[in-house]
Amino acid sequence: MDLTARVAMVTGGSSGIGRAVCLRLAQAGARVVIGYRGNRDGADTTAQAIRDKGWPEPATVRVDVTDAEDTQRVFGHVVRANGKLDILVNNAGVGQPSAVVPMNPVGEWAASVETNLLGTLHCIKASSLHMLVARSGSIVNISSIAGRVGIPGLSSYCASKAGIEGMTRALSREFAPYDVRVNAVAPGYTADTGMVDRIDDKRLREFLDRIAMKRLADAHEVANAVAFLASDEASYITGHTLVVDGGLTA
C-alpha cells in the first residue's frame, strides 16, 4: 500500500489502536496528523515513534471531537497547513459502563454517544467539504464488534458503534458521486487497549474461548485493515464494515 504524499488525520492517536494506525499510515508514506484531546504526552510519543523510523514528519493537534466548533476550527487549520486532507480516521472514542437502570442519569449513558457517534459526525462534517470539493478522499470510521452484538452494561457504547456503522453506509452513498469513500473497521478484543484492560482475568478467558483464533488481536492487525481501506487498493470498496475479530462473531 502506497500512501506517499497523502495527508491523514487520525483522531485518538495517543495510544492503542489509534497509535498503531498512525504508525501504519506513516509507514505507507502518509503525512500523519495525530489528534488528541487530553493525552498530549501520548500523542508526542506517537509522533516521536514515527520520526524514529524516518517516516514523513508528523504533526500533533488537540481537538475535542464533542465540540463541533472546535473540530471545525482544528480541521480548517490542518487543511490550511497541508493544502489538503486525503484520509480521515475517526478513532477517538470512550467506552464507559452504562447499565440502563432507573437510578443512572441519562447524561451518563449519553457520554459514549456524544463522543463516539456525534464526535465522528463532527469530524466528517469538518473534513468532508474539502474532500468533496477535491472529489477525492477516504474516511475510515472505527466501529467495534459491540456495534454488532449486545454486551451487558455497555448499551450506550453498543448503540454508538451501531450508529457509526449505519452512518457509514448512508454517507457512503451520499459521498460516492464525489469519489469520496466511507468505510468502517470493527475490531474485536484487542491487546493493550482500554477495552481489554477493564476486563478481569476470568471474563477474559471466557472471551478467548469464544474467539475462533483463540487470541486477542494486536493493534497493528487492526491498523493494517484501516490502511487497506484508506488506500487505493480499496478503490471500489465503500459503505463496508471490515470486521477484525479473529472469528468471534463468525
Side-chain angles (χ1 to χ4, degrees), residues 42-237:
D44 288 342
T45 298
T46 301
Q48 190 57 51
I50 292 172
R51 293 189 187 101
D52 290 345
K53 293 289 188 179
W55 296 330
E57 178 64 20
T60 61
V61 293
R62 185 188 182 281
V63 57
D64 181 356
V65 301
T66 67
D67 184 329
E69 291 186 4
D70 182 59
T71 303
Q72 194 76 39
R73 178 187 61 80
V74 170
F75 274 74
H77 168 75
V78 169
V79 172
R80 288 191 298 274
N82 295 279
K84 61 176 182 173
L85 181 61
D86 302 295
I87 298 166
L88 168 64
V89 180
N90 285 306
N91 175 70
V94 296
Q96 60 197 46
S98 53
V100 178
V101 295
M103 294 79 74
N104 288 357
V106 171
E108 184 178 291
W109 189 93
S112 292
V113 175
E114 183 180 21
T115 297
N116 301 347
L117 182 55
L118 290 182
T120 294
L121 172 63
H122 292 158
C123 291
I124 292 174
K125 283 178 64 66
S127 63
S128 60
L129 176 61
H130 307 289
M131 293 183 175
L132 296 174
V133 169
R135 301 187 72 88
S136 176
S138 178
I139 297 170
V140 183
N141 302 319
I142 303 302
S143 178
S144 167
I145 57 166
R148 297 172 164 251
V149 297
I151 302 177
L154 287 177
S155 59
S156 65
Y157 185 72
C158 292
S160 69
K161 294 301 186 176
I164 284 174
E165 293 193 19
M167 184 166 62
T168 295
R169 291 189 292 271
L171 292 182
S172 73
R173 300 190 69 87
E174 290 183 26
F175 293 175
Y178 302 91
D179 293 325
V180 175
R181 296 182 297 107
V182 188
N183 291 291
V185 170
Y189 293 100
T190 305
D192 299 321
T193 62
M195 178 194 301
V196 169
D197 292 343
R198 288 188 291 269
I199 301 174
D200 62 59
D201 290 343
K202 181 177 181 294
R203 288 189 66 206
L204 186 57
R205 286 193 297 271
E206 292 172 355
F207 289 136
L208 288 173
D209 285 341
R210 292 163 49 196
I211 297 171
M213 296 182 72
K214 303 301 180 186
R215 65 174 178 85
L216 301 175
D218 186 276
H220 84 267
E221 294 175 306
V222 180
N224 284 337
V226 174
F228 166 68
L229 290 175
S231 76
D232 291 342
E233 301 295 324
S235 59
Y236 198 57
I237 300 175

